[in-house]
Amino acid sequence: MKNVSTTVDVKIANAVKIYTQLRGNTGFSKSQLAQAVHLSFASVSNMCTALEEEGLLKVTNNIRSTGGRKAAKVTFNADYAHTLVIDMHHTQHIYLAIVNLENTIIESTRFEVIPSDSLDIILDNIHRYSSDLMRKTKYNILGVCVGISAVFNPKTKTLLQSSNPVFERVNLLTYLADLFPNKKILVENDANLAALSQTGLGETCRKNILFIFFTQGIGLGILINGNLYMGTNGFAGELGHLKVTGGTKKCKCGALGCLRTVATLESIAQDLGETTLLSSLPSSVLYTTSLAERYSKNETAVVNRVNFAAEKMGEVMSELFDLFNPEEIVLGGNMGALFPYIKNTIREHSRELSNLSREVDLQIRFIDLKTFELIQKGGGEKMFQYWMEHGFPSNIELI
């Protein structure tokens, strides 16, 4: 939220407070809203009038009051503006979506990426597919948020350790600025966006979350007080290279025992001799579904290997819980179909190894939402938070 130092700043801060209170809720009467945000009824009423005139809120007379007179109901207008989210976390395809202010995906599409595609070809496709999306209904686009499986260096604006070599050490912001002139462009790690997909809406939203994101690798999104923790250089959350016991395979980084060598689909397929099968499928989720079916039929090799991965996940989560003491740890990504079979093993192993779990309960949540949907929703949240901090509601005449 903006720093409050002048009367104008106070008004803006109050407008943001009212606006964000309504987001993710079904609506309030003005008196209910005044009570919720701890402001006077007159102040809330004036702010609502200004926000309604801008189109940010909707005010309808459909709530009965005790005196028989209908009170105005104030609701959030989620379609006032939208974010174009570009999901580039996968090496085989890129997803694009239009997301509204409550992170609902309104339109989406995707295009395939082949190993021989150059950066220019990929950028041309992004421009073509995004233009088609935005042309349909002339959306009011706040900006563009890109999710990518890479480390984004905020100082040099370059991508590092990208899952797709074509983006390695590329200043993606420069290229996208040419494609989307006069639009704010945000680039963020895919695991961070997955974490943001779990926050921002509703009064019961948890603020201190660790999100373990399974894709081609393993990423960690860290939310502290509802904000992403990025670390000094923006590199926080490199979970895949954390060392685990019993890990003997050499990682791509050159070290032994990295989590990604035991707890990813790629590592499981490698140990089962099914790397070719995994790479031949159009989506890694299909391989996860196959593993889940084989696990349910008690195929010994699958059960043993998947359980080993679950134990290593629990081992790492116990360390994370003792370090961060989050409200919850969330697991999501391309392992979703396996979660029903291994969630008890993960919980039991993490609670057994965590010292802190002896004092407080370790909350673990498993979600089976498609990876691109997590990134798209998180991209909407990233842009919304940026807008609240830097753009809202500077162009509105507040009373």
Side-chain angles (χ1 to χ4, degrees):
M1 186 175 288
K2 299 174 184 292
N3 293 327
V4 178
S5 58
T6 67
T7 301
V8 174
D9 289 335
V10 171
K11 289 181 178 180
I12 292 174
N14 288 340
V16 169
K17 187 184 295 186
I18 291 168
Y19 190 63
T20 53
Q21 178 69 37
L22 289 166
R23 185 175 182 239
N25 289 293
T26 56
F28 294 81
S29 69
K30 291 180 180 179
S31 59
Q32 291 171 333
L33 186 56
Q35 185 176 11
V37 299
H38 306 292
L39 295 171
S40 70
F41 178 86
S43 178
V44 167
S45 183
N46 289 337
M47 289 289 180
C48 285
T49 297
L51 295 172
E52 181 190 16
E53 289 176 353
E54 178 62 22
L56 291 157
L57 304 180
K58 297 177 182 178
V59 180
T60 55
N61 296 319
N62 61 355
I63 299 180
R64 293 186 180 278
S65 69
T66 55
R69 181 181 177 184
K70 292 183 178 180
K73 180 180 181 180
V74 185
T75 56
F76 187 88
N77 181 13
D79 291 315
Y80 169 81
H82 299 78
T83 300
L84 172 65
V85 183
I86 305 174
D87 172 15
M88 303 170 68
H89 88 278
H90 205 283
T91 56
Q92 295 176 313
H93 37 253
I94 290 177
Y95 290 89
L96 300 96
I98 302 293
V99 182
N100 72 11
L101 293 178
E102 287 185 326
N103 302 340
T104 300
I105 300 166
I106 305 300
E107 303 273 359
S108 64
T109 187
R110 83 175 209 180
F111 64 86
E112 304 306 308
V113 177
I114 60 176
S116 61
D117 281 349
S118 65
L119 180 61
D120 286 339
I121 289 175
I122 293 174
L123 291 171
D124 285 344
N125 280 328
I126 287 175
H127 185 255
R128 178 161 63 92
Y129 280 83
S130 62
S131 296
D132 289 343
L133 269 184
M134 292 187 288
R135 192 181 298 118
K136 287 182 178 179
T137 52
K138 305 293 185 182
Y139 292 106
N140 173 25
I141 300 295
L142 283 177
V144 180
C145 185
V146 178
I148 190 163
S149 180
V151 175
F152 176 66
N153 187 328
K155 295 179 180 179
T156 64
K157 310 301 182 184
T158 56
L159 300 174
L160 306 174
Q161 301 178 22
S162 172
S163 60
N164 190 337
V166 77
F167 299 121
E168 185 66 23
R169 300 195 178 277
V170 169
N171 186 330
L172 194 60
L173 284 172
T174 300
Y175 292 101
L176 293 176
D178 291 335
L179 298 184
F180 305 101
N182 304 317
K183 294 295 182 186
K184 180 62 187 177
I185 299 168
L186 304 175
V187 177
E188 189 57 85
N189 174 264
D190 54 354
N192 288 339
L193 293 185
L196 283 173
S197 74
Q198 301 301 296
T199 190
L201 300 176
E203 296 178 358
T204 60
C205 176
R206 291 178 173 178
K207 300 295 185 182
N208 298 306
I209 297 173
L210 300 180
F211 195 110
I212 301 178
F213 192 45
F214 294 90
T215 55
Q216 291 165 292
I218 304 177
L220 177 66
I222 305 168
L223 286 176
I224 300 176
N225 293 326
N227 298 310
L228 281 174
Y229 175 74
M230 309 295 292
T232 301
N233 300 305
F235 299 168
E238 282 298 293
L239 186 66
H241 297 289
L242 199 67
K243 304 301 181 287
V244 294
T245 61
T248 58
K249 287 191 296 185
K250 191 172 184 179
C251 181
K252 294 176 181 178
C253 71
L256 296 176
C258 293
L259 179 64
R260 65 177 297 148
T261 67
V262 297
T264 61
L265 281 184
E266 182 182 12
S267 69
I268 294 172
Q270 187 178 43
D271 287 350
L272 293 176
E274 298 173 349
T275 302
T276 302
L277 171 61
L278 174 59
S279 61
S280 69
L281 295 172
S283 170
S284 60
V285 175
L286 295 176
Y287 184 65
T288 311
T289 303
S290 172
L291 287 176
E293 291 174 354
R294 293 157 65 187
Y295 190 104
S296 69
K297 295 176 181 178
N298 293 316
E299 186 176 322
T300 303
V302 171
V303 170
N304 290 341
R305 182 58 183 82
V306 170
N307 282 347
F308 177 68
E311 291 172 3
K312 298 303 105 178
M313 293 178 204
E315 181 180 321
V316 167
M317 288 167 60
S318 70
E319 297 177 6
L320 292 175
F321 187 70
D322 287 351
L323 281 170
F324 288 96
N325 186 24
E327 292 174 84
E328 65 176 359
I329 298 178
V330 184
L331 283 76
N334 62 8
M335 300 278 276
L338 281 170
F339 288 155
Y341 300 98
I342 60 176
K343 61 183 181 181
N344 288 337
T345 300
I346 293 174
R347 284 195 174 106
E348 290 169 4
H349 215 66
S350 58
R351 286 170 176 156
E352 177 186 345
L353 295 174
S354 168
N355 289 320
L356 195 56
S357 67
R358 300 168 189 171
E359 306 296 332
V360 294
D361 191 22
L362 199 171
Q363 295 295 319
I364 303 172
R365 181 160 56 93
F366 301 85
I367 56 176
D368 187 12
L369 196 66
K370 293 181 176 65
T371 54
F372 63 86
E373 291 184 9
L374 289 168
I375 292 172
Q376 289 166 5
K377 289 176 177 291
E381 182 63 28
K382 176 82 174 180
M383 186 59 69
F384 182 84
Q385 291 186 6
Y386 179 87
W387 185 45
M388 288 295 97
E389 181 70 23
H390 301 282
F392 175 93
S394 57
N395 60 332
I396 302 171
E397 185 176 347
L398 299 173
I399 301 172

